Amino acid sequence: MPLLEPDPEALRPGTAREPAPDRVTDRSAAGTPEPLRSELTALLGADKVLWKISDLVRYASDASPYRFLPRVVLVPEDLDDVSAILSYAHGKGREVVFRAAGTSLNGQAQGEDILVDVRRHWTGVEVLDDGARARIQPGTTVMRANATLARYGRLLGPDPASAIACTVGGVVANNASGMTAGTTRNSYRTLASLTFVLPSGTVVDTADPAADEELAHAEPQLCAGLLALKAEIEADGELTARIRAKYAIKNTNGYRLDAFLDGASPVQILRGLMVGSEGTFGFISETVFDTLPLDRRVTSALLFFPSLTAAAAAVPRFNEAGAIAVELMDGNTLRASVSVRGVPADWAALPRETAALLVEFRAPDEAGQEAFEEAAAEVMRGLDLVVPAASVTNTFTRDPGTIAGYWKARKAFVTAVGGSRTSGTTLITEDFAVPPGRLADACEALLELQSRHGFDAAVAGHAAHGNLHFLLAFDAARPDDVERYDTFMQEFCALVVDRFDGSLKAEHATGRNIAPFLEREWGPRATELMWQTKQVIDPEGVLAPRIVLDRDPRAHLRGLKTIPKVEAVADPCIECGFCEPTCPSGDLTTTPRQRIVLRREMMRQADGSPVEAGLLDAYGYDAVDTCAGDSTCKLACPVGIDTGAMMKGFRHLRHTRREERIAALTAKNFRVVEASARLAVAAGDAIGERGGDRLLESVTRLARRAVRPDLVPEWLPQLPGPAARKLPGTARVGASAVYYPACVNRIFAGPETGPGAGPGAGPGGTPGPSLAEALVAVSERAGKPVWIPEDVAGTCCATIWHSKGYDAGNRIMANRIVEAAWGWTAGGALPLVVDASSCTLGIAEEVVPYLTEDNRALHRELTVVDSLVWAAGELLPELTVSRRTASAVVHPTCSMEHLGDTEQLRVLAEACADDVTVPDDAGCCAFAGDRGMLHKELTDAATAKEADEVNSRTYDAYLSANRMCEIGMERATGHPYRSVLIELERATRPPGR
């Protein structure tokens, strides 16, 4: 054991608590039981079998109100693995559930036996027919697929609000639709073909002309059974008419019986049945979509009404005017959305009865847009709108930023309202549809029902399609509250079916909470046909039992999860999973959602239980050490939950007093530390140049094992040499800004620019300029010189200590840099330009909580500007580009995302290169200062997809704007990344120089 190994007990919850009724029991503490674990390890390999109790717990939750602990989690890489899993399950009488993003709201992604993760190794987009079609792997998010298709002016039909996180496979399996899909643009209507694996292991590609012949040979009974069901349905005229009527509005409750009417052959029938089957008929391994035009001319408005029924009454008029989306939000939804960044603060005081419609028109050209705007104006003349807050305009706009803000508020319905619920309550998200003409009546009836049962009204939905969503919050640990929920559900189902002849699930699919009410909507005849269909396709009941079909009338009350209180920063989490695609550690250890899920399970446990001990033992590495701390999860979370901040807090808890004192001493004596670090880099560089990289790697690995991996960095061959000891000479007199070179750029040199090193080199192959030299030069060249203070040595943005949770050291350096910056800038008279985006973020925002009151006042007077913003806004308009490179790829850093500077990176790159690419898979590199040297496996996992995309072609320049991120990307791709400011200096250098 390393000398300074942290004590897992430091993270033990320190609260007195009673064991929760739904806690994981002690008999599961050892994880996957034998022989299940050893048999699956022998079948698939150890790296594809997740068996620890922490693995099982983190996969036990999804975005739904349910929680079921799997016996084992498998991570297959290909169809052979999937077929082997299904064959094993058949032979052993086991059950299998497939899970992708886990954003489903009704428990479809949970299983009690074998759970199969089909997200990690199942991503990719292949554009076909110049964008008219796209072959998409099931683990690809909708947003990622649309990012690729946008280059061709196309997009997918389904557009769920969870597009940032939900995967294409899950969208098809649930027939999720969204704001604009309705009944004509959903998966059922826009899928050209799909490939799937049946429960027996048979693989079917519906695009294969020989598919029916091959299926008849492999599965004769299945084919005969499907054709018999088709004949039975078609022979019943009343049933056929009922099926067609049910799908005239949005409906995802039960199986798509219209597949028997639309499909002429077994393969065609299966193609329809797989859509919305929720993983109960097979595994969808590949999809081919017919894409739709991306109409880029957009006009939108957020219109406020005095009541929900008044807003609903206006919906048909906008539908007739050609609106592609008409979204409804009630007063509770609007008020709760103020927790979303960018939403006007005065919405918090909106009257309870207020409602709003988000109306959007999209056109391919100016003429079409103007025609829609005229039609919208005509509708507006007949509306009785209100202005309940100063920020309300009730006008249509073309401004992309304003429109994006409207949609951000709308898409945050579940998470924003759910995040504002009473702490400790479980959230239920329901979704139903009625004929659009009856929407106003349905709204009124729903509000009365919620009020009568003591639930706060929170209603939103795709009003254009008669599709409403509402939320219920109750305490799943209280039997009386569970019964209140049950009583509400009984009356709700009766209301939707009996009064409105609606669908109990419009787009969220049946799931565990509506399965007991399936027959209430469809009647015994159609429901029995669904049971027969399941029997024909999955006679052994291997796949996803009880998720669509369940004869237990109280099944919706089984497995409800309690939500114990955790750290305040994470307590609002509803486990939606929006954070997961952005997380650098998602394919290595845990995601932000899983970190919170694991913490909640600790809180469910009795103090000192075997399960708690197992969770604590794994949590240190899986959650705390391998969190990059980049907080991109905060940006993805609609309510801004910063799981990275929680992990930094846990790092602080694990520090001994001695470690905190040492960290504080390094801050106090950082001038010496900085000089020593530069000398150490120089020594390492000298040894490395003599072929000593392997020696340095061996020595540092031994030191890491002896001391602690999270304290001792590992030597990486990609590390650059030392920076020059002296910074460029500058003058304070006449300076337009104060230039603060970050400590990382004072310690590490830029990329090698010697002979043969590329376009950064000077004449004759001489070394090119350092970042500091480049920024000084381009500022002077633009007529806006900068001044570097003589006493920057020994100062830092404090991120070194902040990222590791060293609070005392962080406080020392945070106050030092603010005091110094205030002096350098003459009390804020000049802007402070910082040449590393992470350091800009640190000085501008992250230091604030650690400042004294006096220094907070000084900080408010500072103008902290990232060098990208300085160069793009102040310098570029004054510069002449004399040479351009042919192509460049850029890496936006996570700090740029926080600062909103990614556009400036692109602008600068486009000034220097003819062809600029921002990879669709670009994300946090997880180098995170030195974390890439402490846990290089983290950076390897975080950059894998982006590196594959970058290396799919060659570029003349590889650009970013943070030295450590550039090192991380060089390690990932094998190409030397450099600051875009160095490239800008080269591009604007006068000819002949």
Side-chain angles (χ1 to χ4, degrees), residues 530-680:
M530 294 181 189
W531 279 96
Q532 291 176 30
T533 302
K534 173 68 170 174
Q535 179 64 27
V536 166
I537 298 173
D538 184 18
E540 303 298 323
V542 169
L543 291 181
R546 307 190 71 169
I547 285 177
V548 176
L549 302 173
D550 199 325
R551 299 193 192 276
D552 179 1
R554 292 179 64 83
H556 59 299
L557 307 179
R558 178 174 168 269
L560 290 170
K561 66 183 174 189
T562 62
I563 305 292
K565 185 176 291 189
V566 292
E567 283 71 17
V569 66
D571 197 52
C573 176
I574 63 166
E575 301 174 10
C576 67
F578 283 23
C579 56
E580 293 193 334
T582 70
C583 181
S585 60
D587 287 342
L588 177 67
T589 50
T590 57
T591 67
R593 170 169 61 176
Q594 291 173 338
R595 290 174 168 96
I596 295 170
V597 163
L598 289 165
R599 192 64 174 169
R600 281 179 170 158
E601 183 56 41
M602 293 180 203
M603 300 303 295
R604 292 187 185 98
Q605 293 293 316
D607 192 29
S609 76
V611 171
E612 183 194 52
L615 297 179
L616 285 170
D617 186 57
Y619 202 75
Y621 176 77
D622 287 353
V624 181
D625 292 346
T626 53
C627 173
D630 66 306
S631 294
T632 50
C633 51
K634 177 182 178 180
L635 298 177
C637 175
V639 293
I641 293 173
D642 189 348
T643 313
M646 185 167 79
M647 295 303 107
K648 292 168 190 172
F650 287 156
R651 288 170 189 167
H652 175 68
L653 289 177
R654 295 196 305 173
H655 296 156
T656 64
R657 291 182 180 178
R658 181 168 175 266
E659 287 176 308
E660 284 285 336
R661 285 197 301 271
I662 293 172
L665 281 172
T666 63
K668 289 178 181 177
N669 300 283
F670 191 64
R671 186 183 185 95
V672 175
V673 172
E674 178 185 332
S676 300
R678 193 162 46 245
L679 287 172

Side-chain angles (χ1 to χ4, degrees), residues 129-152:
D129 302 333
D130 200 32
R133 295 185 303 141
R135 178 174 287 111
I136 309 172
Q137 301 304 305
T140 308
T141 66
V142 172
M143 180 175 285
R144 173 64 180 83
N146 280 336
T148 295
L149 288 170
R151 296 196 182 101
Y152 299 84

Side-chain angles (χ1 to χ4, degrees), residues 44 120 280 289 438 486 604 745 935:
L44 301 172
R120 188 174 302 182
T280 62
F289 273 87
R438 303 197 66 188
D486 180 35
R604 292 187 185 98
N745 294 321
H935 299 287

Side-chain angles (χ1 to χ4, degrees), residues 621-839:
Y621 176 77
D622 287 353
V624 181
D625 292 346
T626 53
C627 173
D630 66 306
S631 294
T632 50
C633 51
K634 177 182 178 180
L635 298 177
C637 175
V639 293
I641 293 173
D642 189 348
T643 313
M646 185 167 79
M647 295 303 107
K648 292 168 190 172
F650 287 156
R651 288 170 189 167
H652 175 68
L653 289 177
R654 295 196 305 173
H655 296 156
T656 64
R657 291 182 180 178
R658 181 168 175 266
E659 287 176 308
E660 284 285 336
R661 285 197 301 271
I662 293 172
L665 281 172
T666 63
K668 289 178 181 177
N669 300 283
F670 191 64
R671 186 183 185 95
V672 175
V673 172
E674 178 185 332
S676 300
R678 193 162 46 245
L679 287 172
V681 171
D685 187 54
I687 295 171
E689 284 185 353
R690 292 176 173 82
D693 278 333
R694 288 188 179 180
L695 173 62
L696 290 169
E697 288 173 336
S698 298
V699 169
T700 54
R701 284 173 188 162
L702 286 172
R704 285 162 57 80
R705 283 198 291 268
V707 181
R708 177 173 153 193
D710 210 45
L711 287 179
V712 179
E714 182 174 344
W715 177 263
L716 301 177
Q718 293 81 13
L719 288 176
R725 191 169 59 85
K726 291 186 178 181
L727 292 164
T730 55
R732 182 169 190 169
V733 177
S736 297
V738 175
Y739 169 26
Y740 180 67
C743 66
V744 65
N745 294 321
R746 305 194 306 262
I747 294 172
F748 290 106
E752 291 185 55
T753 49
T766 58
S770 67
L771 174 57
E773 290 168 338
L775 185 51
V776 168
V778 291
S779 297
E780 183 73 34
R781 202 171 289 159
K784 298 190 177 181
V786 293
W787 170 61
I788 302 175
E790 293 79 4
D791 57 343
V792 294
T795 62
C796 173
C797 66
T799 300
I800 294 172
W801 296 269
H802 180 249
S803 66
K804 297 177 184 299
Y806 288 115
D807 286 0
N810 190 7
R811 192 169 292 107
I812 290 167
M813 189 56 74
N815 285 280
R816 181 186 299 173
I817 186 60
V818 167
E819 291 168 3
W822 191 82
W824 295 332
T825 62
L830 293 175
L832 182 74
V833 176
V834 186
D835 66 2
S837 55
S838 58
C839 302

